[in-house]
Amino acid sequence: MAGDETPDPFAQLADWAQETERRERRKRRWSGVARRAPWLLTGVVLAVLLALAVPRMFSAEPGAADTAYPKASVPSGITVTTSESATPTDPFAGTPAASYPKGAAGITLPKATAVTGFTAAEVDKSLKQVRKALIAGRLDDMMLTGHDPSRLIALLAPNQRGQVAGWFKNAKFSGVATWIDPSVKLDPREQPRVSGRVTYSSVMADGLRTLRVTTNFIWVYAFAGPGHPIAAEHEQVNWEFPATKNLRAGDHGMWVGASKSYSAWVDCVAFDRGLLAPTRPEAAPRPSASEDSNALLEADHSLDIKENC
């Protein structure tokens, strides 16, 4: 452990997070220009992007289902993609989520092996820490309906906890967590459907040796009510684990790095309050002119989509 007189080589992580917040503020101001179309909102770095509408409410344009969409790139390193599968059931029937695993079963971790600067045991510990964070942010009822982020925040390096706690006070947390709108209810018979991948590699981040775990997952939630509506969150997050040499005690552990995300089949009014709810029937959704809306529920869909909310 370094003393106060020793420069902290990972202190710039706080700067990364501050810059993330600045970009988020700029992006949210910009996003208001797209409110003419109340059914799709996009964002980059801890902003969410809302997608068109529930396809049960319209027929896709001819040939739309065959339209190719950009695939998310896979970062270099050791990776694994969700391999489990579920038997298709309502309310997910007819969507890609029909065969996604239920809940935490969809979070598959790659085999931990040694990489530059980190032993296999250190990699294994970090991967398990990330899995806990994914569950705490996207699946835990304490977060989803209790709107209590304490379990997620406790998993982070002490010196980032205060800043991330601030995200939850200002509705800037959508890249790492889900809050269900209290005006709607999750379907008690259905667990969220989950699919995605986990990749890890040893990188040099601003001159520092870091274990970077990149997660890219889509989380599809079923809601109670007529039509059995669903809504989804899709995000990619870099979870950073700096090598401990010369770090202050408060910098040890997991940091939230860069992220991108979008939300699909959601209510824009709820989104403006940092909440997730399915598209309202009265919103009169329209099909996309460029792709089948089902494609937005694909785990490998690009996170760069146009804004329309």
Side-chain angles (χ1 to χ4, degrees):
M1 180 183 303
D4 291 340
E5 69 281 359
T6 303
D8 178 10
F10 215 61
Q12 66 268 26
L13 270 177
D15 296 333
W16 293 356
Q18 290 169 0
E19 178 60 23
T20 289
E21 290 191 85
R22 288 193 289 269
R23 288 196 298 267
E24 166 64 6
R25 286 195 294 270
R26 292 195 296 269
K27 186 62 181 179
R28 289 181 69 85
R29 286 197 296 269
W30 173 85
S31 68
V33 303
R35 296 188 180 278
R36 291 189 300 273
W39 37 271
L40 180 70
L41 174 68
T42 69
V44 176
V45 187
L46 294 179
V48 293
L49 307 119
L50 303 182
L52 35 159
V54 181
R56 296 184 185 87
M57 305 184 68
F58 60 80
S59 297
E61 294 181 348
D66 299 325
T67 303
Y69 61 84
K71 302 286 187 179
S73 61
V74 180
S76 61
I78 300 169
T79 189
V80 69
T81 299
T82 298
S83 58
E84 297 296 325
S85 179
T87 301
T89 61
D90 288 329
F92 306 98
T95 75
S99 60
Y100 293 168
K102 297 179 180 180
I107 307 172
T108 305
L109 297 179
K111 180 181 179 180
T113 61
V115 294
T116 302
F118 300 90
T119 66
E122 289 172 328
V123 171
D124 182 66
K125 181 179 179 180
S126 298
L127 290 172
K128 290 176 179 176
Q129 185 84 340
V130 168
R131 190 174 192 273
K132 289 178 181 178
L134 295 175
I135 293 171
R138 300 295 189 184
L139 299 176
D140 191 339
D141 286 339
M142 186 171 170
M143 177 72 81
L144 293 177
T145 57
H147 297 178
D148 181 350
S150 58
R151 286 178 180 167
L152 173 62
I153 292 171
L155 295 170
L156 302 176
N159 284 347
Q160 199 190 23
R161 291 173 187 170
Q163 187 168 41
V164 174
W167 298 348
F168 288 91
K169 296 177 181 178
N170 298 295
K172 297 176 181 178
F173 57 84
S174 299
V176 294
T178 300
W179 278 6
I180 301 299
D181 189 334
S183 69
V184 297
K185 301 294 182 184
L186 290 170
D187 187 338
R189 302 166 301 176
E190 297 289 348
Q191 295 184 57
R193 296 302 179 87
V194 180
S195 185
R197 64 171 176 266
V198 178
T199 304
Y200 68 88
S201 60
S202 176
V203 301
M204 292 299 293
D206 292 333
L208 300 171
R209 177 59 60 185
T210 304
L211 176 65
R212 174 171 295 164
V213 180
T214 301
T215 59
N216 187 317
F217 280 89
I218 190 157
W219 316 83
V220 188
Y221 303 88
F223 294 82
H228 304 290
I230 61 176
E233 302 271 14
H234 185 189
E235 97 285 325
Q236 178 171 297
V237 182
N238 287 341
W239 307 88
E240 312 283 359
F241 295 84
T244 58
K245 184 178 180 180
N246 295 328
L247 288 185
R248 295 175 301 188
D251 289 339
H252 290 189
M254 179 170 67
W255 291 72
V256 180
S259 76
K260 292 182 179 181
S261 63
Y262 67 75
S263 295
W265 299 16
V266 299
D267 176 58
C268 295
V269 174
F271 168 79
D272 286 340
R273 294 180 288 133
L275 304 171
L276 184 73
T279 304
R280 295 171 296 165
E282 62 269 24
R286 294 174 291 173
S288 168
S290 60
E291 67 174 319
D292 178 6
S293 62
N294 262 343
L296 292 162
L297 301 186
E298 295 282 359
D300 62 351
H301 193 288
S302 171
L303 286 120
D304 297 317
I305 64 175
K306 293 182 179 180
E307 175 176 350
N308 277 304
C309 195

